[in-house]
Amino acid sequence: MKLTDNVLRSFRVAKVFRENSDKINCFDFSSNGETVISSSDDDSIVLYDCQEGKPKRTLYSKKYGVDLIRYTHAANTVVYSSNKIDDTIRYLSLHDNKYIRYFPGHNKRVVALSMSPVDDTFISGSLDKTIRLWDLRSPNCQGLMHLQGKPVCSFDPEGLIFAAGVNSEMVKLYDLRSFDKGPFATFKLQYERTSEWTGLKFSNDGKLILVSTNGGTLRLLDAFKGAVLHSFGGYNNSKGVILEASFTPDSQFVMIGSEDGKIHVWNAESGMKVAVLDGKHTGPVTCLQFNPKFMTFASACSNMAFWLPTIDD
């Protein structure tokens, strides 16, 4: 089944899970699309089975809190940042609920975490104005970059380069093998005083970069030239909430939640809004991602919603 404007417009909430007592701050699908794992401000980690459509188990990280949870490539393991006590990144085995390794180094809150799509490398960005490069097999930081401001960062789909959004006005592209030489490309965007950048993602085809903000606009960039192709707006975000924006797996559409619980979808090529979907969320939709393998997506406030299309175009 192919994603079209009509199929996207037909999506409805199929299931709602109320496992959390506070907002879900992050979730991540496994690469095979069979499970999704969430982290919440209530210090819990909930693992859901996407095929059966139900929560499988709940773990807790009461002492350190849990945020920015990401699957690694090994089955049943995740990395996540702390939001209490310290700013160490933790590597957890879900199998026996034990830490495999800690990654200390940042001395302020970690605000970005991206796992390489191809190996055990990951990068983290922090309010301490650094990006750190790590390898899951070693507790020592493999590389350190000092920046001029708060960074957001992400790997490209090939895992060869990563992009850093700095100071809410520049995107810098680095080659992973020689990042200490500095960026090989820098794109300067018009600075917007009213909002800060909160996220950066590549499309699966590697051609586009999506920059999300805590304001009411998203920007879509050409990943090679840095030109702003589209600015997307018209969704509610008056309180400066961090709302996750995502591409669909085919790179054709861009979607974001809003503070009023609705989901807005645009065509990435034309820039036209194709749908506004009502998720019946009780709070802002802070997390939103399409399943990498199946025709379903998930959205979250303090509740988690699974969506399905109601037509097969």
Side-chain angles (χ1 to χ4, degrees), residues 85-88 103-110 126-130 132 146:
I85 297 193
D86 66 15
D87 304 290
T88 297
F103 304 96
H106 287 300
N107 55 31
K108 284 192 177 161
R109 194 161 63 86
V110 174
S126 160
L127 295 180
D128 63 14
K129 299 183 181 174
T130 64
R132 287 177 180 264
H146 292 275

Side-chain angles (χ1 to χ4, degrees), residues 211-252:
V211 176
S212 46
T213 72
N214 62 0
T217 52
L218 289 175
R219 286 176 180 161
L220 189 65
L221 314 186
D222 178 311
F224 301 103
K225 302 192 182 87
V228 177
L229 302 173
H230 299 292
S231 286
F232 302 122
Y235 58 93
N236 288 354
N237 190 16
S238 60
K239 298 186 185 76
V241 178
I242 295 178
L243 303 171
E244 182 179 21
S246 289
F247 287 101
T248 51
D250 60 6
S251 310
Q252 301 299 305

Side-chain angles (χ1 to χ4, degrees), residues 234-276:
Y235 58 93
N236 288 354
N237 190 16
S238 60
K239 298 186 185 76
V241 178
I242 295 178
L243 303 171
E244 182 179 21
S246 289
F247 287 101
T248 51
D250 60 6
S251 310
Q252 301 299 305
F253 298 93
V254 167
M255 48 206 306
I256 192 169
S258 61
E259 67 183 8
D260 59 9
K262 292 190 169 58
I263 307 233
H264 296 249
V265 187
W266 295 268
N267 183 304
E269 194 173 1
S270 70
M272 299 295 286
K273 187 172 285 188
V274 296
V276 179

Side-chain angles (χ1 to χ4, degrees), residues 147-167:
L147 300 158
Q148 254 51 67
K150 178 191 126 172
V152 287
C153 53
S154 182
F155 277 100
D156 83 316
E158 250 97 67
L160 297 173
I161 67 169
F162 63 88
V166 188
N167 242 1

Side-chain angles (χ1 to χ4, degrees), residues 4 31 42 57 64 69 84-85 99 115 119 141 151 155 159 172 176 187 202 213 237 248 294 296 300 305-306 308:
T4 61
S31 55
D42 66 11
R57 57 189 291 220
Y64 302 104
I69 197 157
K84 295 197 290 202
I85 297 193
Y99 292 118
M115 192 77 214
D119 61 22
C141 175
F155 277 100
K172 294 172 180 277
L176 195 60
F187 310 137
F202 279 89
T213 72
N237 190 16
T248 51
F294 300 104
T296 172
F306 284 5
L308 290 171

